[in-house]
Structure formats: structure tokens, C-alpha cells
Amino acid sequence: MNNNPTRCLLLSAFCLLASATDFTAEGKRWWSHIEYLASDDLKGRDTGSEGHLKAARYVAGEFERSGLKPAGTSGYFQPVKFDVKQIVEDESSLALVRDEKAEPLVLGDDANFSLRGDIQESTEAPAVFAGYGFGVPEKSYNDLAGLDVKGKLWCTLRAVPSPSLAL
């Protein structure tokens, strides 16, 4: 699928489905759309997957039933080119090195790779622990305050912060 156009719908599909204001019959109809689009039958709806295409066809059908005129280059669809990046876990590894001693990490359990930016075959860099990696000024909370992050890998928690940070 790398560099092949795939079909997608805009987020406006959900705006159409969420426009119900009567929470009796219209609300049940709206909820039935959500149940179908979130169902296991669509197998996660990964971009370009059969589940994604089923979801797109379903939403296009709802557009048509609602009387919307198609505006894509292919009816209700618009070809979009994606650059696909994927981690090959059995060919990838990650380790923390301290005092020349490597501590291997288990991908998916101990750590995850970010696929943002360019993927390097190998990277060695100092790391800095940055908590959750964000700030909440209203709570006087800033994980990055005082940290020197320039040229370093950020190690962050990928979990739900403490309820005390809730706004």
C-alpha cells in the first residue's frame, strides 16, 4: 500500500451522523451508526483495509440517502496519497544504555517507537525523562520545565495522568 492512493472520507461524515437532535427515534438511528462504525465487523478500520472501505461505503451510502450531492473526484470518494510507515517488530529492537550496560526493552510492553518524522536504521542519543511530556498551565504543571531536551530522545509515560491534573 506504500505510495498507493487510498480512498477516505472527511471527518464531516461524523458531523452528518451526529446531527440528530431528537434523542428518541433520531437518537437511536444516530447510535446505530456509531455501533456499526465502531463494530468488530470493521476490524479496526485501518487505512486502506477492507474494514475501512466498508466504513467508507457505509458513510457514502448515508450521504446519498440524506440527499447530499457527491463532491469527490470519484462520487463521494476522494483519492488521497499516503506515505505508510511501519515498524517490523521482529527486526527492531530498543535498549537503554547506562554506564556501557545495555538493558533491552520489549516493544509494545516497555516502549513504543514513534513513527513521526524520518525513521532511522539506528539511533544513539542521550535521553531525558519528560513525565507525560506536556504542561497544564492552569494547574501549574509542566513536565518540560527545566529540562534540557535539545538533541535528546524524550522518554514519556503513555498512560492517563493523575486525576489531580484534570481541568
Side-chain angles (χ1 to χ4, degrees):
M1 289 184 26
N2 198 6
N3 293 323
N4 288 334
T6 187
R7 298 179 188 263
C8 75
L9 292 174
L10 300 174
L11 188 56
S12 62
F14 293 104
C15 294
L16 170 71
L17 299 177
S19 64
T21 55
D22 175 7
F23 289 104
T24 55
E26 281 296 311
K28 288 177 183 177
R29 187 169 133 301
W30 175 83
W31 188 247
S32 72
H33 296 307
I34 298 302
E35 287 180 317
Y36 175 73
L37 292 169
S39 73
D40 289 343
D41 292 344
L42 298 184
K43 297 183 171 93
R45 298 164 314 282
D46 287 332
T47 302
S49 70
E50 185 57 35
H52 174 252
L53 295 174
K54 280 182 182 178
R57 287 184 201 114
Y58 177 86
V59 173
E62 291 303 309
F63 281 175
E64 188 171 15
R65 278 186 277 290
S66 295
L68 294 175
K69 302 274 189 252
T73 58
S74 302
Y76 292 97
F77 297 92
Q78 179 75 39
V80 177
K81 187 174 184 174
F82 287 96
D83 287 326
V84 177
K85 297 178 182 181
Q86 186 173 5
I87 297 292
V88 181
E89 285 196 34
D90 59 346
E91 296 177 18
S92 303
S93 63
L94 182 64
L96 295 177
V97 179
R98 181 183 226 168
D99 299 326
E100 298 184 24
K101 182 180 176 195
E103 181 179 333
L105 300 175
V106 177
L107 291 175
D109 290 338
D110 300 327
N112 294 304
F113 288 121
S114 171
L115 296 179
R116 295 180 183 166
D118 293 329
I119 299 174
Q120 305 297 318
E121 186 172 321
S122 177
T123 300
E124 288 189 31
V128 61
F129 177 69
Y132 296 101
F134 68 86
V136 182
E138 296 83 0
K139 295 288 186 176
S140 300
Y141 182 88
N142 186 350
D143 285 326
L144 304 177
L147 291 180
D148 175 15
V149 297
K150 186 174 183 177
K152 298 179 181 175
L153 299 173
W154 292 24
C155 297
T156 58
L157 298 169
R158 301 294 279 183
V160 177
S162 165
S164 66
L165 294 179
L167 295 177

